[in-house]
Amino acid sequence: MNKVSVTGIGMTSFGKQEASLKTLLMDACLEALREANFPKIDAIYIGNFMAGSLVNQEILGAIVANELGLGTVPAFKVEGACASGGIAFRQGFLNIQNGGYENVLIAGVEKMKHATTEETTRGINAAMDNDSNEKLAGLTFPGFFGTVANRYFYETGASKQHLAMVALKNREYAVNNPKAQFRKPATLEEIMEARMITEPLGLFDCSPTTDGATAVVLSKGDKGVVVRASAQASGPTQMQEAEDLLSLPAVRASAQQAYQMAGVGPEEIDVVELHDCFTMTEILSIEELGFFEKGTGWEAVAQGLTKHGGKVPVNTSGGLLSKGHPIGATGLAQIIQIVSQLRGNSCNQVEGAKIGLAQNLGGTGAYSTVHIFEGVK
């Protein structure tokens, strides 16, 4: 099995962009290729969820191959809802590890800000099981995670204030990230008093719609940040099928697989980027990833254990909540932050970081990928 490393990264700013989806995609890809010294690319994988419905544009892989003059290389679009980028990365990794390719270009992109709220909501809701009673009854993603939050409050000592602490931490990190969507400082009071989206989730508890693109070059060998593990798992697609509403089985399973593959445990991870589509999701995920015992994530947040000086800094980029969430680009944005941390040149740098983890979620827990990285020795 070949070793695989990240040799190039590229990322646009996140937020509202006047540039087209194609331009954003090209900008990120060129930046990653330039950093990797323009190796011969053997395949292209593009993570994307809604270009067809919101921009009326598919064939993204072939467009990248054509625009960049990469010839007749195989190109693919990968869809896994909000985990599209993480799944695309995994496909490229596996094909290099197994000897099929030597250099792969992986990119993610989404353009959402131009669409109406109704159009965007309809597109996002395609990531739910639309042939289900709960969807027909009007369940949305904020509704799902709001229900989860209320149940979590009921079973633990957590409150809305603990959700606000997650949002505040991630905003404080985003202030120092030049590519983040939201860089304006916020206060705990402002977060607590923000407009309600669905009880108990307010505006700051929910990730925004975002334009942006990301790209990574993966190469055979260990000349860059090495991919120690790549894992993926699936979970329930309906709330009524969940054995435990406060569990994300796909996150737990993909984490266990990744730890086993990397030969490390959660206690050896120095920095984490995880899928905080909602503040409640971050609390559940730090438990499922094994950093804290089940039902205690809220206490870890209150004690400052998920930021610099604590047990493990989480979402030093600002996370989806403040960095932004251009769905197809999100998984790679997480990976890019971890790679930058392990190179020692990231925003909100964690001193001495050697091993990092990126976790990307799709749907209400339908997909999860976990990747573990080791810095250049």
Side-chain angles (χ1 to χ4, degrees), residues 24-316:
L24 292 171
L25 189 54
M26 292 306 111
D27 286 349
C29 288
L30 280 170
E31 184 180 352
L33 288 167
R34 187 177 298 112
E35 192 181 81
N37 293 317
F38 292 100
K40 180 183 181 298
I41 296 298
D42 300 311
I44 301 165
Y45 293 86
I46 308 296
N48 176 261
F49 180 48
M50 294 193 294
S53 60
L54 292 189
V55 188
N56 194 36
Q57 182 64 71
E58 296 288 4
I59 65 166
L60 298 179
I63 287 174
V64 169
N66 180 70
E67 291 293 315
L68 295 178
L70 299 179
T72 59
V73 298
F76 311 85
K77 173 187 167 180
V78 179
E79 184 279 312
C82 300
S84 297
I87 297 173
F89 183 92
R90 175 169 163 76
Q91 293 305 305
F93 165 81
L94 289 174
N95 276 289
I96 296 176
Q97 184 189 52
N98 293 331
Y101 305 133
E102 291 197 2
N103 300 287
V104 171
L105 174 63
I106 305 152
V109 67
E110 214 74 66
K111 190 164 176 64
M112 309 167 68
K113 297 295 288 183
H114 66 287
T116 65
T117 300
E118 181 181 359
E119 290 169 335
T120 305
T121 301
R122 187 186 304 115
I124 291 172
N125 282 351
M128 303 184 76
D129 184 345
N130 286 319
D131 188 18
S132 67
N133 291 333
E134 56 195 36
K135 180 58 171 61
L136 295 173
L139 185 67
T140 62
F141 282 99
F144 175 87
F145 285 103
T147 300
V148 171
N150 280 318
R151 185 67 193 181
Y152 192 86
F153 293 173
Y154 178 79
E155 293 194 12
T156 70
S159 68
K160 182 172 172 55
Q161 184 172 7
H162 296 96
L163 301 182
M165 290 176 180
V166 172
L168 179 62
K169 169 184 69 72
N170 293 357
R171 178 57 63 92
E172 288 173 342
Y173 279 139
V175 167
N176 299 318
N177 183 351
K179 294 190 175 180
Q181 183 168 353
F182 297 129
R183 300 189 62 201
K184 180 182 176 182
T187 66
L188 193 66
E189 292 72 24
E190 182 183 3
I191 294 169
M192 291 282 290
E193 296 171 4
R195 175 169 60 89
M196 187 63 63
I197 302 301
T198 181
E199 184 67 37
L201 304 178
L203 188 64
F204 287 81
D205 294 299
C206 309
S207 56
T209 58
T210 311
D211 301 337
T214 48
V216 167
V217 175
L218 277 180
S219 301
K220 176 183 173 181
D222 58 0
K223 298 302 183 182
V225 171
V226 174
V227 186
R228 288 279 300 272
S230 174
Q232 181 179 344
S234 302
T237 59
Q238 296 183 40
M239 182 187 295
Q240 64 198 36
E241 294 175 350
E243 293 184 9
D244 178 1
L245 194 57
L246 302 185
S247 177
L248 294 169
V251 176
R252 184 172 65 254
S254 55
Q256 290 171 348
Q257 294 167 25
Y259 290 139
Q260 183 176 9
M261 182 178 180
V264 301
E267 67 282 355
E268 296 172 78
I269 303 297
D270 298 312
V271 61
V272 176
E273 287 287 309
L274 59 77
H275 201 90
D276 59 321
C277 49
F278 298 91
T279 48
M280 187 64 239
T281 323
E282 178 165 325
I283 292 176
L284 287 186
S285 293
I286 58 176
E287 297 175 5
E288 297 287 37
L289 291 168
F291 299 116
F292 304 99
E293 293 294 326
K294 185 175 176 62
T296 68
W298 63 282
E299 295 176 308
V301 170
Q303 294 167 20
L305 299 182
T306 56
K307 56 186 181 181
H308 282 62
K311 184 176 181 180
V312 57
V314 174
N315 288 334
T316 61

